[in-house]
Amino acid sequence: MDAQEGTQQSQQLILAHKVFLLKHRDVPDIEKVRLKDEVLNTVKSNYMTPYYENLVADKVLDLDHSVLDSMRAKNEEEIKKIDEKIADAEENLGESEVREAHLAKFLYFIQIGEKEKALEQLKVTENKTVAVGQKMDLVFYSLQIGFFYMDFDLISKSIDTAKNLFEKGGDWERKNRLKVYEGLYCMSTRNFKKAANLFLDSISTFTTYELFPYDTFIFYTVLTSIISLDRVSLKQKVVDAPEILTVIGKIPHLSEFLNSLYNCQYKSFFLAFAGLTEQIKMDRCLHLHFRFYMREIRTVVYSQFLESYKSVTIEAMAKAFGVTVEFIDQ
């Protein structure tokens, strides 16, 4: 994974999102033509033979035997070189160099999309790693593998491993990064309340650019907070949060979505929510929860509206929300 450090999203997670869009029925065919070219170019440039075979099996890409043979030959050549470095390190160098050689093999298996061999090599590398910080970095790589394949069992076990490591030490920067990983896991598994709390704890310390850009982080934070926080907490932690205010205007419809709810402008709220639905449906982590999220957000907004009345007609409610009586009744 090439974005463990720095401010760039992991190229493999970008690839995973493009593959998700290629499989999405609502993405226009002309857009899929562009995506298909980009996916194939990424796969070829990283010699991702195992991943290419999976995409061919899923009918995402077409089989090209010359491409497959070329990538396979490159993989064999690189693995042979790495194995020679491992043998040389074990025979002539110290423990640190041996670990680095095994780490290189682990990272190469990640690069080419060889999941099972990567996890096997991870165990070998872990056994040769002593420092807690280096062990934590291996866990973050493991978490990125989990999110690349949406393997929630691997993600959950990796989070537990990280928490156990932190009991032995670990710096605050890595602890704060773990909160974002765990928040993304919680959101992806429909635990929106815990996700919101973890995201909010990380707003001022966000450095996990390998997962997603800061704008996406704020998008997730607002969406999860709106259905999780009470009105007072929403005002303090989200509506007035300087970190959110600096970027929320860059995300289409999100500012209107948040502020119209807080200011009880229900017609504007539903218009903004309609604008956000496409972003939620096209999000790799949120799309499976779209209907659930719609029900939750309606519960929040209807409850807030009804708190102001002892009694109200469905007609008045429909008018306030800018929808039909039949919609409210249903």
Side-chain angles (χ1 to χ4, degrees):
M1 301 278 172
D2 50 7
Q4 185 76 3
E5 302 294 338
T7 60
Q8 296 297 314
Q9 186 178 11
S10 160
Q11 290 301 308
Q12 289 212 340
L13 292 183
I14 293 173
L15 173 63
H17 182 64
K18 288 178 179 178
V19 171
F20 162 73
L21 293 176
L22 265 177
K23 295 178 178 180
H24 203 296
R25 64 184 180 184
D26 293 338
V27 174
D29 288 341
I30 192 167
E31 178 71 5
K32 286 186 177 181
V33 171
R34 180 186 64 80
L35 286 167
K36 196 171 186 179
D37 285 342
E38 291 178 0
V39 166
L40 182 59
N41 288 335
T42 301
V43 167
K44 287 164 64 177
S45 64
N46 287 287
Y47 302 100
M48 301 179 73
T49 309
Y51 192 62
Y52 177 71
E53 291 174 315
N54 290 339
L55 294 179
V56 169
D58 290 342
K59 296 183 170 30
V60 175
L61 294 179
D62 302 317
L63 177 60
D64 184 325
H65 285 288
S66 63
V67 169
L68 183 60
D69 292 342
S70 173
M71 291 195 299
R72 189 172 284 151
K74 181 67 174 178
N75 292 160
E76 291 172 356
E77 178 188 338
E78 287 298 315
I79 291 169
K80 183 181 178 182
K81 287 180 183 177
I82 294 171
D83 283 339
E84 288 172 354
K85 287 181 180 179
I86 290 173
D88 179 58
E90 289 177 338
E91 188 173 340
N92 303 310
L93 302 172
E95 292 180 0
S96 176
E97 289 81 5
V98 171
R99 179 195 176 274
E100 289 302 311
H102 279 288
L103 176 63
K105 190 172 185 179
F106 167 57
L107 295 178
Y108 187 71
F109 282 139
I110 293 177
Q111 177 190 317
I112 66 175
E114 185 69 271
K115 180 186 177 186
E116 297 309 320
K117 288 185 179 179
L119 294 176
E120 289 171 11
Q121 186 62 30
L122 171 62
K123 292 178 182 176
V124 176
T125 310
E126 281 176 339
N127 289 335
K128 298 184 181 298
T129 303
V130 177
V132 173
Q134 290 180 332
K135 284 180 178 287
M136 273 304 310
D137 289 338
L138 291 177
V139 175
F140 283 120
Y141 283 125
S142 178
L143 284 164
Q144 288 179 45
I145 295 171
F147 281 113
F148 181 66
Y149 292 99
M150 283 302 191
D151 183 341
F152 293 124
D153 184 54
L154 174 60
I155 296 168
S156 177
K157 288 177 179 176
S158 298
I159 290 170
D160 289 342
T161 299
K163 288 180 177 178
N164 288 333
L165 282 171
F166 280 136
E167 291 179 4
K168 302 173 185 176
D171 57 87
W172 282 106
E173 191 270 337
R174 288 185 175 95
K175 288 181 180 179
N176 288 328
R177 284 176 63 205
L178 182 64
K179 287 182 182 179
V180 181
Y181 277 87
E182 187 176 5
L184 183 60
Y185 166 70
C186 290
M187 187 187 76
S188 301
T189 52
R190 205 176 281 183
N191 188 346
F192 291 114
K193 186 175 181 62
K194 188 172 182 180
N197 289 331
L198 288 163
F199 287 153
L200 288 167
D201 280 350
S202 309
I203 279 186
S204 60
T205 57
F206 179 84
T207 57
T208 51
Y209 295 100
E210 70 273 13
L211 278 184
F212 35 60
Y214 192 64
D215 289 5
T216 302
F217 172 66
I218 294 301
F219 176 66
Y220 290 158
T221 302
V222 172
L223 287 188
T224 54
S225 296
I226 278 182
I227 61 171
S228 304
L229 302 183
D230 59 63
R231 187 172 167 81
V232 174
S233 298
L234 188 69
K235 173 72 169 171
Q236 292 174 343
K237 297 181 179 181
V238 183
V239 175
D240 291 340
E243 296 88 353
I244 291 177
L245 288 171
T246 56
V247 299
I248 194 170
K250 301 176 186 177
I251 305 164
H253 310 292
L254 192 62
S255 179
E256 297 90 335
F257 180 64
L258 173 64
N259 290 300
S260 59
L261 173 66
Y262 185 77
N263 294 322
C264 305
Q265 298 165 340
Y266 300 114
K267 196 176 292 187
S268 299
F269 172 80
F270 268 94
L271 286 172
F273 186 50
L276 280 175
T277 55
E278 194 71 9
Q279 290 172 255
I280 298 172
K281 285 181 179 179
M282 294 295 173
D283 188 279
R284 188 166 168 254
C285 296
L286 285 171
H287 75 286
L288 290 175
H289 312 300
F290 174 67
R291 291 186 179 279
F292 175 84
Y293 189 82
M294 283 189 70
R295 288 197 298 272
E296 289 295 300
I297 200 67
R298 285 174 184 163
T299 300
V300 169
V301 73
Y302 294 157
S303 298
Q304 179 174 294
F305 176 82
L306 292 171
E307 280 176 5
S308 304
Y309 298 90
K310 287 185 177 178
S311 65
V312 63
T313 64
I314 289 181
E315 288 80 5
M317 197 170 177
K319 185 177 180 182
F321 286 104
V323 296
T324 64
V325 171
E326 290 76 15
F327 181 85
I328 293 289
D329 192 39
Q330 188 178 19

